[in-house]
Amino acid sequence: MPEEKKSFGDFLVGLGIISPDQLRKITQEQKKAGERLEQTMVRLGYVKEEVALQLLADYFDLPFVDLDTYLIDEKVIEMIPEEIVRRHTVIPLFKIGETLTIAMDNPLNIIALDEIRNKVKTDLEIAVSTETKIKKAIDQHYGAASPIVENTLQQFLGGSTGGPSPVSQDYRKTHDLVVKEVQPGTVEDAARMFDLIMIQAIRDRASDIHLEPDERGLRVRFRIDGFLYESLSLPKQVHPSITSRIKILAEMDIAETRLPQDGNFNVRMEKRGFEIRVSTFPTIYGENVVLRILDQTSPLFTLEDLGFSEEMLNLCKQLIRRPNGIVLVTGPTGSGKTTTLYAFLNLINTKDKNIITIEDPVEYRLPLIRQTQVNPKAGITFAAGLRSILRQDPDVIMIGEIRDRETSEIAHQAALTGHLVLSTLHTNDAPEAVSRLMDIGVEPYLISSSVIGVLAQRLVRTICPQCKTSYQEDPSVLAELGDEVSKVKGPITLYRGKGCANCKQSGYRGRTGIFELLVINDRIKQLISEKASTQSIRETAKKTVGMVSLREDGLRKVLKGITTLEEVDRVTY
């Protein structure tokens, strides 16, 4: 008789992955939890998910696929409906002849295989991948305008309540609201539609959701990596119900449609916690709604994560470890200034320091740090709050933004009396911060004696790693790079993204910073006291402290293959 095949557990013991005693413990826990052996192993920390699935593939003699680096044939995506792939955690990979190859995390899921086989009417081959990466691939290849959204929309327009949302149970638990005054066929379907929009935005890494009514309908756009992309278009009649749903969650006045309103609420989705900040604005076609998404569970960025060169990183660390003085971060709205300030605080946040902030609004909660939010109605402005902070024995003060003379003068006095002050300012580059402070009304002697450094920054999109490709740029274009090109030995190769599912055909995924750091030395202090021009300060900084401009830092990242010329041109011209 042929030898009976070992169980998967015995197979792992034979490889030395786990011991017999560990197998007994895992099996007992598996039965209690009602899950698969490999799932229990991962949950108990014996192996990582990817290793467990690779071992499972070896056991069944099946190929293992890393979906993070695998390019799926877009033609086969339409062969299996989204509802099936999400329910069974599978995704089609490619089709050769009459055989379709799919990736799944459980090759013993006979029910899934039978349902897919009946649907596609073809033979199936199986590859193994992790549940996490399969779900990520599904999110990348099945967009928001999916059959789920279409069914919900049909239920909404047809007046069907449709039962509870099958998609966002965590969201339902957080906001278990019952509005009895509204007729059936509106509340539940509007809630379900909003759930789907929220989930898609989170999966797409959106920072903002825009709900924009016009004469034809309701346009939904997501801001991803700084750019707005249209996600879906809905009929105009869904707009009032979705807007009312949002206002209820944000504790805003649903009857007021003629005045702007602000609010916020918290949700849990995709096993993460989010704070949603809501702003409404009346337009001729109805209320425009913008939702800012803040991931409260994501770790804070460190300075090393932001994209500093090694030299600039060291200079920043030296500045913020000084006992007193003002460090300013400048740039337009959305350039990442607040993120940089939090990274500064995160570096110097120790138990021997008293750090206090006044912000508008508080973006993230930081341990050990006392954080205050501006509240003009209660009399807490930046200036008023700053006066009170100085009586709290602070070592470090962070001010969300210097907007007026009063706030600026108090900040400068705080720096002169032994405090380190961090804040932001709206200027185009670092040297312009000096003239901006003078325009506000701060005396030059205060600026020269208290400001120790100014960091200007912009955000550029980074090239998608999955479709990154090299090319040779036209010599006339390379000539525009100036000194940065002359520093490169040999032929110059640039990079760009071709566009793929991972980056939604944009060629970019994620962002990084480009920076310009002005360190105030004795010569620059003298120029400030003399009210010298911004150009004089800029030229002196380049000569005496080797200041690298925003564009130069961007071009260095282009030559390193981090971003593209088009991105640097977009933010520095």
Side-chain angles (χ1 to χ4, degrees):
M1 293 180 64
E3 184 180 347
E4 185 177 347
K5 187 174 183 178
K6 293 180 179 179
S7 68
F8 182 48
D10 291 335
F11 172 76
L12 296 174
V13 171
L15 291 176
I17 305 298
I18 55 176
S19 69
D21 288 342
Q22 289 172 330
L23 176 59
R24 280 190 289 273
K25 180 180 177 181
I26 293 169
T27 304
Q28 290 172 357
E29 184 65 28
Q30 174 202 358
K31 291 177 180 177
K32 290 180 185 178
E35 57 192 4
R36 304 195 306 272
L37 186 75
E38 68 274 11
Q39 292 175 322
T40 307
M41 288 176 59
V42 172
R43 180 167 58 82
L44 295 180
Y46 286 99
V47 292
K48 292 184 178 179
E49 183 187 21
E50 189 154 337
V51 174
L53 270 295
Q54 286 176 338
L55 291 166
L56 188 67
D58 291 343
Y59 175 71
F60 287 110
D61 197 22
L62 295 172
F64 178 84
V65 179
D66 183 355
L67 290 176
D68 279 349
T69 58
Y70 189 89
L71 291 179
I72 294 174
D73 185 351
E74 294 291 339
K75 295 178 182 178
V76 302
I77 289 298
E78 298 178 359
M79 294 182 67
I80 307 179
E82 179 184 2
E83 188 274 331
I84 294 178
V85 298
R86 290 196 184 278
R87 179 153 45 85
H88 295 301
T89 316
V90 302
I91 190 165
L93 300 177
F94 59 87
K95 184 183 179 186
I96 298 177
E98 294 301 315
T99 302
L100 173 67
T101 298
I102 63 172
M104 58 196 310
D105 68 326
N106 180 14
L108 293 179
N109 190 343
I110 305 301
I111 295 174
L113 293 173
D114 287 343
E115 186 174 356
I116 295 170
R117 194 176 288 112
N118 291 333
K119 183 68 179 178
V120 300
K121 307 298 182 185
T122 186
D123 294 332
L124 294 179
E125 292 285 350
I126 301 172
V128 177
S129 190
T130 66
E131 178 184 6
T132 301
K133 292 186 177 181
I134 292 173
K135 287 182 176 179
K136 179 181 176 183
I138 291 171
D139 292 341
Q140 291 170 353
H141 291 274
Y142 291 85
S146 66
I148 297 175
V149 175
E150 292 171 4
N151 291 339
T152 302
L153 184 58
Q154 288 173 5
Q155 290 172 354
F156 182 92
L157 298 176
S160 167
T161 59
S165 169
V167 185
S168 179
Q169 297 304 322
D170 285 340
Y171 185 78
R172 284 276 170 261
K173 291 173 185 175
T174 308
H175 295 288
D176 187 17
L177 298 175
V178 178
V179 186
K180 297 180 180 179
E181 293 79 9
V182 184
Q183 294 298 316
T186 58
V187 176
E188 198 62 41
D189 292 328
R192 185 183 301 107
M193 182 67 68
F194 179 58
D195 285 357
L196 293 169
I197 292 171
M198 283 291 303
I199 289 171
Q200 190 64 39
I202 289 167
R203 289 173 176 172
D204 286 350
R205 303 176 297 106
S207 61
D208 301 86
I209 302 172
H210 291 242
L211 304 177
E212 304 166 340
D214 58 28
E215 58 184 347
R216 293 182 300 274
L218 177 65
R219 181 173 55 247
V220 181
R221 294 199 289 173
F222 298 157
R223 187 174 293 279
I224 303 171
D225 294 335
F227 275 71
L228 278 172
Y229 297 91
E230 185 165 347
S231 175
L232 71 157
S233 182
L234 299 172
K236 194 172 182 64
Q237 54 263 51
V238 309
H239 175 240
S241 296
I242 291 179
T243 302
S244 294
R245 172 65 177 171
I246 294 169
K247 284 184 170 183
I248 291 169
L249 296 176
E251 298 183 354
M252 298 158 67
D253 185 353
I254 63 172
E256 180 57 74
T257 60
R258 297 169 298 175
L259 296 174
Q261 295 188 65
D262 294 304
N264 65 84
F265 59 93
N266 295 309
V267 298
R268 285 196 61 81
M269 287 186 171
E270 304 286 289
K271 299 181 181 179
R272 290 182 288 165
F274 298 89
E275 181 182 355
I276 311 298
R277 295 195 177 138
V278 182
S279 171
T280 65
F281 188 79
T283 73
I284 58 173
Y285 296 113
E287 289 181 282
N288 199 82
V289 183
V290 176
L291 300 97
R292 168 64 56 87
I293 303 172
L294 298 174
D295 188 347
Q296 297 176 319
T297 56
S298 64
L300 283 175
F301 283 101
T302 65
L303 285 179
E304 287 77 8
D305 298 327
L306 300 182
F308 287 104
S309 65
E310 185 175 353
E311 180 183 5
M312 202 176 298
L313 178 64
N314 291 332
L315 286 172
C316 282
K317 289 181 176 180
Q318 290 173 20
L319 285 175
I320 61 176
R321 283 173 174 152
R322 297 264 290 271
N324 61 282
I326 295 178
V327 177
L328 297 171
V329 182
T330 77
T333 300
S335 60
K337 301 187 297 296
T338 303
T339 299
T340 299
L341 285 181
Y342 278 130
F344 284 165
L345 293 178
N346 198 32
L347 180 68
I348 59 176
N349 185 17
T350 56
K351 291 182 179 180
D352 62 340
K353 286 188 176 69
N354 181 22
I355 302 176
I356 306 178
T357 76
I358 181 163
E359 308 171 53
D360 184 23
V362 173
E363 298 278 351
Y364 294 97
R365 277 63 174 172
L366 303 174
L368 294 179
I369 296 177
R370 311 277 70 77
Q371 295 175 268
T372 306
Q373 187 158 306
V374 167
N375 186 354
K377 292 181 180 179
I380 303 177
T381 62
F382 278 121
L386 193 50
R387 285 195 192 92
S388 298
I389 286 173
L390 290 173
R391 295 192 287 272
Q392 291 285 310
D393 186 31
D395 297 298
V396 181
I397 302 169
M398 193 267 269
I399 309 167
E401 182 184 348
I402 292 178
R403 299 174 178 172
D404 52 54
R405 177 177 178 176
E406 186 179 14
T407 304
S408 183
E409 287 186 343
I410 298 171
H412 283 77
Q413 292 294 343
L416 291 175
T417 54
H419 305 88
L420 178 65
V421 179
L422 308 176
S423 189
T424 69
L425 199 64
H426 283 285
T427 65
N428 288 325
D429 60 23
E432 283 187 15
V434 174
S435 59
R436 172 64 179 150
L437 290 172
M438 290 183 186
D439 290 341
I440 289 175
V442 183
E443 293 295 331
Y445 77 89
L446 275 178
I447 301 172
S448 63
S449 56
S450 56
V451 178
I452 58 175
V454 183
L455 178 73
Q457 68 179 67
R458 299 290 189 278
L459 291 176
V460 293
R461 293 180 294 173
T462 53
I463 301 170
C464 173
Q466 291 196 19
C467 62
K468 183 176 181 179
T469 183
S470 61
Y471 72 100
Q472 301 298 317
E473 185 57 271
D474 186 271
S476 61
V477 175
L478 290 175
E480 298 177 8
L481 300 182
D483 293 341
E484 295 305 316
V485 170
S486 63
K487 298 174 185 177
V488 180
K489 296 180 180 180
I492 296 175
T493 301
L494 301 184
Y495 298 85
R496 60 188 169 205
K498 293 188 296 184
C500 66
N502 184 55
C503 60
K504 295 190 178 295
Q505 308 305 321
S506 68
Y508 299 96
R509 186 174 175 88
R511 289 190 290 178
T512 191
I514 60 174
F515 303 94
E516 175 181 88
L517 180 61
L518 171 64
V519 178
I520 307 296
N521 60 13
D522 291 340
R523 176 59 185 140
I524 295 174
K525 285 183 180 181
Q526 182 180 349
L527 291 174
I528 294 172
S529 298
E530 296 170 354
K531 297 185 179 180
S533 67
T534 298
Q535 185 61 28
S536 296
I537 294 174
R538 182 180 292 109
E539 290 174 356
T540 302
K542 287 184 177 181
K543 291 177 183 177
T544 60
V545 295
M547 185 182 77
V548 177
S549 71
L550 282 165
R551 182 163 179 80
E552 288 168 343
D553 190 46
L555 293 177
R556 291 178 181 181
K557 288 181 170 65
V558 170
L559 294 171
K560 290 179 179 178
I562 296 171
T563 188
T564 64
L565 272 175
E566 291 79 10
E567 274 295 285
V568 174
D569 287 343
R570 179 178 65 83
V571 301
T572 59
Y573 278 150

